[in-house]
Structure formats: C-alpha cells, structure tokens
Amino acid sequence: MNKQLILKITGIISAALVSLTFASRTIYSANLPVVNTVAPKIDVVPLTAKTSGTLDSEAAVEVLSGGDWRVNEVFVGNGERVSKGDLLFSIDTKDLEIYKKTKELEILRLENSLDALNTSSNTSGASSVNAPFDGRLLDVQTVYTAQRLSQGQVLGRFVDDSAFVIPFYFSIAYADILKAGNSVSVSLSEWMSEVTGVIESVSDSDYIVNGARTVLVKVRISNAGSMTEGAYAAAEITDGGEVIFAAEPSVLKYAREDYLLAPISGVVTQTNLREGSRFNRGARLLSMSPETVQQDARAAQRSIAELTVQHELALMQLEQLVYPADGIIYAEQDGTVFNMAVKKGARTVSGERLLSILPENAPLTVSFTLSAKEGADFGLGLPVSVVYYALNPEPKTQRHDSAVRSYRLSDDGGSWEYTAVIDAYDGAPLMDMDVEVTVGHSGEMYSAVVPISAVSERIDGPRVYVVKSRSGLFGDEFYVEEVEVSILASNPYVAALDKINILSEVVTYTSRPIMNGDTVRIEGQ
C-alpha cells in the first residue's frame, strides 16, 4: 500500500479518536454539578444587628382620664414643652355634673338593696356539732364548706388524750390487794419505759384467761404526754415484796372518746374538722343548715357580693369625678408632651391614657427585639447605638451610644426582647416615633472565615464541602469532601470555622445537591 496513504489514514483515525475523546469529556463534564468556591481568609467577624425600637421613660408622668369625659379644648401638642401648672385640656363639666348625680342615685339604690338583702338573709334551722369535752380530733373525714351531709353520717372521733385507761386481767387469787386507788406499775413496750398507773375499777365478775380465773382491772394513766393508743403495755403490782403480773399484755386506750355525727341532713356552712386539732369543751366543730334554707342563703349571699362590687365601683367612680373640679387638666410636671391621644370633642373612659409628659433630662428607655436565632449572640453589656429625631429646639437627628441593660426570650420563644438606657441627651426626643437601633461590636479576628452560604447546618453539627483533585477517566478531576466543623463566630454574612485549612477551597454554591465524594466541575474551569 502507498506509504502516504497509510499515513493519511492514520492521521484521520487519530483525529477522530481525539474528537471522540474531547466530545466524551465535554458530555461528561456537562453532567457534573457546577460549584463556586472560595478560599478561607483571615478576617474579623462583626457581631452587629440592626432593627427599629421605641423610646419610653420610667420617669414619664401619665395623664389618665378620671371618668366618662367629653373633651372641650386641647391646649398642647405632641413634642411641646410644658411647665408645671400649664393648661393641657379641658372637659365639659355639665356632663360631669349629670354623671355625678346619676352615680349618687345609683349608690343610694345599691345601699338600699344591700340593706334589704342583709336583713332578709338568714339561716334558720341551722345546727352545729360541738366538742363534748376537752380533747383532740382523730380519724377526721374530709368535709368542706357547701358539702351535703346526711343525718348520722360519721365525721370523725373526738378523744380525751390526756389520760389512758388500760384493761388488765389479774388472777382472782389476788383480789384482796386489787383495790381502786392502788398503784400499778405499767411497762410500755413501744417506749421501753415504765409509768405508774392507778387502779380505777375492779370487776365484780371473774373471767377465764389462759384456763385461769381472773378479774378485770382497769388502770388509769394520767399525764399521758406523747403516748398514743394501740401501744402494748404490761402491768404488775407488788405485795410484800412479791411481784404479781397481769395474765396478758394489753393495749392503751383513750380514757374517753365520742364519735361525731352529722346532726341533720343539710349543707355544711362552716367547718373546723382538722385531723389532730385540739378543742376545749363546747367549741364549735361544724355548722350546718337545712339544704333548702342554705340554697336561699347562698343565692342571697351571691346577690350581696355582686351588689357590693357594684357599690364599691360606683363609689370609686364618684371619687374620680371630683377631679377636676373646674373642668381643666393642668400639667403636674415640667417636661415634654408625648403619646398624645386626647382630641377635641372626643369622649374618654375611666383610666384611659390621654397623654404623657417626659420630665426634663429624665433617662430614656430604648426597647427593641431581635429574632430568636439572631439574638442568641447578643447579651448584657453589648454596645447599642440609637438614632432618633428630637427638637433641640429645632428638629434634629441625634445619635447616642448605650449598652444592653436587660434581655429576655419572649413568651412564645420567637424573639429576644432588649432594653437599653440613655442617660444624657439634648433637646426633646419625639417619643412616639420609631428609632433606629444597632446592637453589637466589631468582632474578633479569626484564621478561617468563609461566607455563611458555605456552611450546611445538620442535626449532628455543621458541615462544609472542600474541593480536592484526583485521577479520573479523562485525567485529573475535582471532587468534594465533607468536613465536620465548629462555628466559632458568625453573623448573617460570614462564619469563622475551625478544622479548615486556609489553603483549601470551600464550596459556597452548587448547581444541584452534592454528597461526600461526588465529582464536580468548578465554575469557569
């Protein structure tokens, strides 16, 4: 074959292969995610935030409406300076007098109604439970006011715990020495101690105990102290040096007790039934009234309560109507008027704020909010710059520096609420206007600062993608490696990271989602 022809064919084939390779590489690259990258840099991360706020003052004097007023004239405007005694506005005193007479008649009617109800409301047929002797309440059932009880219902037990009477059985052979008034030694197992008792009575009959004939001897222990019923006790007497024991141990029982019962079927009107409480004989423990009478009494008491509230409200409103006597409201403080709400011809309601007066040079309180995420970086003492409008005496924009005095997370958790204080300023700030607030500081220097878009927030912590190179099908290619990082500082624009090499290239944008190890194409390459 012609050598020239062979060379020509070889060249054509080589060119075709190159073209195919180039086309394949072009198609392959076109299907890769496109990323933008940036190298981390040594930089400062400013911690600042801008928002709007409001001015107020804890020293401000509020002028409130004293009743249902109709405003005749208004003599001041928002931002105006006033001196103590200056006229602020006037009200229609004719309406005031009519309203005053109406209130006086209303008070008289309420007082007559209350007198009639108090006279007619009674609880005839009432009954009570009283302490039968000096003692203490035990085993008390839960009883509360307005509870309905049935006659004979057990309420508790009333005991005389100042003394105990203990039954012991002694052999009938010693009946001659078992006489009322004789002393008996009693051993108390619960307290590991001995006390002296006195025989209160001896039975005339005999009892068989453990196969032997015995007599029942009741021993009384006075000055019981901390003893309680149910404790085990043993008894012994001495006769001519011989110790004689009771046939069996016994238990302490209160000297006297009564069960308390509901005296009637009805409703509890008053109760002192409390477990362990002590009472003297005759003290009232419970009061009841028949249910129908109690229902009438409750209705009357509700009416009395409602009328009493109405009466007190009417008296308060009447007292407020005394001011102002001449129908003119005067300034009680030197300062600047703000939050002006009073208008000529308008009607006011009692307690409504009509205007406020800011005393001269009174500290200003600046209130502002930041989102929950943004505010997490700002706490007590951080610098606050405030720009607001003031009269000095001409209109002028003023700027003052302060610091965060207090902050709290809002009740819904969606934002942080801050306050700052301005102690010294010129002129009269316009308190009803929004103010411009900048909070934060210039920040610190960090060794690896990247755009905030480079950081992906994950449940298990923040991540970034770093671009690296490797050998591929068509030569060297780029791929991404996921790196776990910590955010040292951030703002809405940049973040300072650790674990990042300053010579690396960090992905700030990708044309479509990428994963660790994915091959990518760098924009412009």
Side-chain angles (χ1 to χ4, degrees):
M1 184 178 291
N2 190 312
K3 185 177 182 179
Q4 288 184 347
L5 180 59
I6 293 173
L7 290 173
K8 188 174 181 179
I9 292 172
T10 301
I12 291 171
I13 292 173
S14 297
L17 290 172
V18 170
S19 297
L20 287 172
T21 302
F22 178 77
S24 298
R25 183 171 184 174
T26 302
I27 293 170
Y28 176 72
S29 297
N31 288 323
L32 296 176
V34 179
V35 298
N36 290 340
T37 64
V38 67
K41 58 182 179 179
I42 300 173
D43 204 351
V44 170
V45 180
L47 289 176
T48 59
K50 288 188 176 182
T51 185
S52 61
T54 57
L55 289 180
D56 205 341
S57 175
E58 296 173 357
V61 177
E62 293 186 342
V63 177
L64 308 178
S65 169
D68 181 13
W69 294 348
R70 188 176 70 81
V71 179
N72 273 347
E73 294 291 338
V74 179
F75 305 112
V76 295
N78 238 1
E80 288 188 23
R81 291 177 181 271
V82 294
S83 299
K84 184 176 181 180
D86 285 353
L87 279 64
L88 299 178
F89 59 91
S90 64
I91 61 174
D92 189 339
T93 54
K94 293 180 181 178
D95 276 1
L96 184 66
E97 288 301 320
I98 293 172
Y99 193 66
K100 182 178 178 181
K101 292 293 183 186
T102 302
K103 281 296 170 188
E104 288 173 344
L105 290 173
E106 180 184 350
I107 289 169
L108 181 60
R109 177 184 62 79
L110 289 169
E111 289 174 346
N112 290 336
S113 297
L114 282 169
D115 288 343
L117 274 173
N118 282 318
T119 302
S120 63
S121 64
N122 61 77
T123 55
S124 57
S127 185
S128 64
V129 177
N130 301 323
F133 43 81
D134 293 353
R136 183 158 61 104
L137 279 167
L138 294 177
D139 304 329
V140 174
Q141 303 301 305
T142 301
V143 176
Y144 50 87
T145 303
Q147 181 178 354
R148 190 188 184 285
L149 300 177
S150 299
Q151 186 175 19
Q153 185 172 337
V154 177
L155 306 176
R157 189 162 57 111
F158 200 81
V159 301
D160 176 5
D161 61 349
S162 64
F164 289 89
V165 173
I166 315 170
F168 291 108
Y169 294 92
F170 282 89
S171 172
I172 199 168
Y174 305 108
D176 291 342
I177 63 172
L178 296 170
K179 303 295 183 183
N182 286 358
S183 295
V184 178
S185 179
V186 179
S187 300
L188 302 171
S189 59
E190 186 170 329
W191 290 274
M192 300 297 289
S193 61
E194 290 192 358
V195 297
T196 299
V198 176
I199 295 176
E200 186 174 75
S201 64
V202 180
S203 66
D204 295 330
S205 304
D206 56 325
Y207 300 85
I208 303 300
V209 177
N210 293 332
R213 293 177 65 199
T214 64
V215 291
L216 175 62
V217 178
K218 292 186 177 180
V219 177
R220 184 181 185 89
I221 300 176
S222 301
N223 301 319
S226 60
M227 297 179 195
T228 56
E229 67 177 339
Y232 280 98
E236 62 183 47
I237 60 174
T238 304
D239 180 33
E242 180 184 4
V243 178
I244 302 167
F245 296 95
E248 284 192 345
S250 187
V251 294
L252 272 67
K253 293 184 178 181
Y254 291 120
R256 183 167 41 163
E257 67 177 20
D258 258 352
Y259 279 92
L260 305 177
L261 307 176
I264 60 173
S265 293
V267 177
V268 176
T269 58
Q270 182 261 342
T271 176
N272 288 319
L273 297 178
R274 295 180 183 85
E275 183 72 19
S277 296
R278 292 182 179 279
F279 295 92
N280 294 326
R281 181 176 183 274
R284 181 164 297 183
L285 306 179
L286 181 84
S287 296
M288 295 180 63
S289 65
E291 193 164 21
T292 54
V293 173
Q294 183 62 21
Q295 288 173 347
D296 294 341
R298 284 202 302 268
Q301 290 301 320
R302 283 196 298 271
S303 297
I304 290 172
E306 291 170 1
L307 289 177
T308 300
V309 171
Q310 295 175 24
H311 182 254
E312 291 175 353
L313 177 61
L315 284 174
M316 181 182 69
Q317 292 170 337
L318 183 60
E319 290 174 359
Q320 291 174 335
L321 291 174
V322 174
Y323 173 78
D326 57 1
I328 298 177
I329 310 297
Y330 299 92
E332 298 182 356
Q333 171 76 49
D334 296 347
T336 304
V337 175
F338 71 100
N339 283 339
M340 191 78 178
V342 61
K343 296 180 180 179
K344 180 178 179 179
R347 280 198 174 275
T348 68
V349 295
S350 180
E352 178 184 357
R353 185 178 68 179
L354 303 179
L355 58 87
S356 299
I357 298 176
L358 177 67
E360 199 77 22
N361 298 322
L364 303 177
T365 300
V366 184
S367 302
F368 59 94
T369 62
L370 295 173
S371 68
K373 182 177 180 180
E374 188 177 28
D377 294 325
F378 302 99
L380 293 177
L382 278 183
V384 175
S385 175
V386 182
V387 177
Y388 60 87
Y389 200 64
L391 301 175
N392 194 31
E394 298 299 324
K396 178 183 178 181
T397 298
Q398 295 198 16
R399 179 184 180 280
H400 286 277
D401 294 328
S402 182
V404 174
R405 179 183 68 171
S406 68
Y407 72 109
R408 63 180 291 272
L409 190 63
S410 62
D411 294 337
D412 62 7
S415 62
W416 287 91
E417 300 169 350
Y418 295 84
T419 63
V421 175
I422 298 174
D423 292 316
Y425 53 90
D426 298 325
L430 295 184
M431 305 287 283
D432 56 347
M433 296 180 66
D434 286 343
V435 298
E436 182 182 304
V437 178
T438 303
V439 60
H441 51 71
S442 58
E444 300 177 15
M445 185 74 72
Y446 295 92
S447 60
V449 177
V450 300
I452 198 70
S453 60
V455 183
S456 299
E457 292 286 354
R458 307 281 182 84
I459 295 176
D460 55 349
R463 301 284 193 275
V464 297
Y465 285 105
V466 174
V467 175
K468 295 188 174 184
S469 63
R470 64 188 173 192
S471 296
L473 182 63
F474 300 104
D476 288 343
E477 64 182 12
F478 297 108
Y479 71 98
V480 293
E481 181 180 278
E482 186 179 81
V483 179
E484 180 182 350
V485 295
S486 296
I487 299 176
L488 305 178
S490 68
N491 61 30
Y493 311 104
V494 295
L497 310 177
D498 67 353
K499 305 177 184 177
I500 289 294
N501 191 318
I502 195 168
L503 299 178
S504 60
E505 290 289 327
V506 178
V507 174
T508 60
Y509 166 80
T510 177
S511 61
R512 65 173 184 264
I514 55 177
M515 296 177 62
N516 188 41
D518 283 355
T519 304
V520 297
R521 179 165 59 89
I522 299 176
E523 179 74 29
Q525 294 189 22

